[in-house]
Amino acid sequence: MTFVSPLGLGFTLVLCLALLFLPRRYAIVPVLALTCFMTMGQRVVLGGLNFTMIRILLLFGWARLAFHGEFRRLKWNAIDICLIAWAISGFVAHTILEPSDAAYRLGVAYNCVGTYFLLRFLLRERHDVIHVMRMLAWFVVPLSILMLWEHLSGHNLFAFLGGVPAISEIREGRIRSQGPFGHSILGGTFGATVFPFFYALHFRSGTDRILGYAGMMASLIIVFSSGSSGPAFAWIFSVLAFCLWPLRQHMRALRWGLLGLTVLLHLVMKAPVWFLIGRITVFQASTGFHRAMLIDAAIHNFSEWWLVGTPSTAHWGYELMDVTNYYIRQGVEGGFLTLVLFLAVVSYAFGAVGRARKAASRQPKWEQMMIWSLGAALLAHAVSFISVSYFDQNFVSWYLLLAMISHVSTMKPSEQFLSVPVRIRRSWRDLQWEGVAQ
């Protein structure tokens, strides 16, 4: 039902006006601010349609595009097409499955198309990806302080906005910080998936390097204050992605090797290979076994959900009504086609990062690391999808990443970031004039 506090409404309206009138390079600031400091509890319900504050902000974002004439001809790619197809497939299948619940899937499609393409229109210059990473650091640092306070005190300061509990969850004696996010796992996931951006920033000089170190520290605080194994593993895999930098020329062989190893383990293990998830944990009281059982049940009940999904998974097993796997959720809510299209989005995004990195192979290392960080963040999201479904504002960080990948992959190598520092260009020009004089 509708719940809007005066402070929440005022904060949202300020950000909406800022989105309308800020210069384009700063237009993403209100989106990041609302993502980091507004809960999903603030909402307006009209005719069965649920308008959270972020959805209202998206309306103002599209009004900005129309008002400033910032629509431009996009260079379409496979990610754009698959995202639209995924949104349509999910909406149609879920409407057939649950006609009375069509508004929910319409909201998911609105989040997808509205967020992704708004950001695609706003990202247009070679510096924009760096600006996003830089501005994100300014918001993540204060967010980490608030979540650290929650971890130490057990009181969530965002509770007055609604949608999150005032007293933090405690599991096995450990306080799990949630912040403004829908769950402690989702709060930690946000920190884990933005960490690669800040690691890439520290390769630059001056203020960017300081922001990079501050952002990395803030991300770590968010991850470990959440007290959840899923975000910790997402962070570990993002770090592993940077460790693979020396093998960047052999990623195809590495991928096939990992696939072969997975198949071999599946053949020699007594239990299916996905039950390894239940044996690996970072924090106590991890529910990895639940994730493994969910995958196993989804495979055994494939005939039930493959066409348009299934109305309930409660009969699959103990507590399996809680679909904590975003991949399985695609199939449960939209059928096998929706799942395939979602996997295609992830696959094409990885491919786009690889092609962009190869195109920039002759550019300075920090430029290549900027592109590589997009792949590291994508890997962190892909790992997170195994343990949690995004039902809060984490969808913004997901579509922001996809928009950044699309932006970088459609630029020419000479347009990616700064090909040659200004100081070097001037020195080269001086050398040319010296050659003419001689």
Side-chain angles (χ1 to χ4, degrees), residues 2-56:
T2 297
F3 175 80
V4 182
S5 67
L7 181 60
L9 179 61
F11 181 54
T12 302
L13 290 179
V14 169
L15 293 179
C16 289
L17 293 175
L19 181 56
L20 281 176
F21 299 110
L22 280 174
R24 184 197 56 80
R25 63 180 298 186
Y26 295 111
I28 198 172
V29 170
V31 179
L32 297 179
L34 203 66
T35 301
C36 292
F37 300 111
M38 178 60 67
T39 70
M40 297 290 279
Q42 299 279 316
R43 64 186 64 197
V44 177
V45 179
L46 296 174
L49 300 178
N50 180 16
F51 286 93
T52 58
M53 296 298 103
I54 189 65
R55 288 179 177 175
I56 294 174

Side-chain angles (χ1 to χ4, degrees), residues 53-129:
M53 296 298 103
I54 189 65
R55 288 179 177 175
I56 294 174
L57 187 68
L58 290 178
L59 288 177
F60 278 80
W62 283 90
R64 175 207 167 85
L65 296 180
F67 181 75
H68 292 276
E70 292 177 336
F71 290 103
R72 60 189 175 93
R73 188 173 183 178
L74 294 177
K75 187 176 180 181
W76 287 78
N77 57 37
I79 300 175
D80 301 335
I81 296 172
C82 286
L83 263 182
I84 293 177
W86 169 78
I88 295 174
S89 173
F91 173 72
V92 172
H94 197 75
T95 301
I96 295 174
L97 180 68
E98 296 283 349
S100 61
D101 200 27
Y104 158 72
R105 197 68 199 195
L106 181 63
V108 174
Y110 174 86
N111 292 341
C112 169
V113 177
T115 306
Y116 174 76
F117 283 100
L118 172 63
L119 298 173
R120 280 278 275 142
F121 282 116
L122 292 178
L123 298 174
R124 61 176 62 188
E125 295 181 0
R126 59 188 182 186
H127 296 86
D128 287 344
V129 171

Side-chain angles (χ1 to χ4, degrees), residues 134 138 201 204-213:
R134 186 182 297 138
W138 285 105
L201 267 184
R204 289 171 60 85
S205 59
T207 306
D208 285 344
R209 175 169 294 184
I210 298 174
L211 283 175
Y213 282 115

Side-chain angles (χ1 to χ4, degrees), residues 344-416:
V345 170
V346 178
S347 176
Y348 280 122
F350 274 117
V353 172
R355 290 189 297 272
R357 205 282 311 164
K358 290 179 181 178
S361 59
R362 295 185 178 181
Q363 305 300 327
K365 182 179 179 180
W366 69 264
E367 295 189 13
Q368 298 184 56
M369 293 304 294
M370 287 289 175
I371 299 173
W372 193 261
S373 72
L374 300 179
L378 183 60
L379 179 61
H381 277 285
V383 172
S384 295
F385 291 154
I386 299 175
S387 62
V388 69
S389 297
Y390 290 2
F391 58 84
D392 66 347
Q393 61 266 45
N394 266 281
F395 75 84
V396 177
S397 63
W398 169 236
Y399 295 126
L400 172 61
L401 173 63
L402 293 179
M404 293 165 69
I405 291 174
S406 292
H407 174 61
V408 170
S409 65
T410 55
M411 289 192 301
K412 298 178 181 179
S414 59
E415 296 175 340
Q416 290 173 352

Side-chain angles (χ1 to χ4, degrees), residues 199-243:
Y199 183 80
L201 267 184
H202 99 279
F203 282 93
R204 289 171 60 85
S205 59
T207 306
D208 285 344
R209 175 169 294 184
I210 298 174
L211 283 175
Y213 282 115
M216 284 190 287
M217 181 60 68
S219 298
L220 282 172
I221 291 173
I222 292 174
V223 169
F224 289 100
S225 66
S226 70
S228 306
S229 295
F233 277 114
W235 177 81
I236 290 171
F237 273 86
S238 70
V239 174
L240 178 62
F242 287 107
C243 294

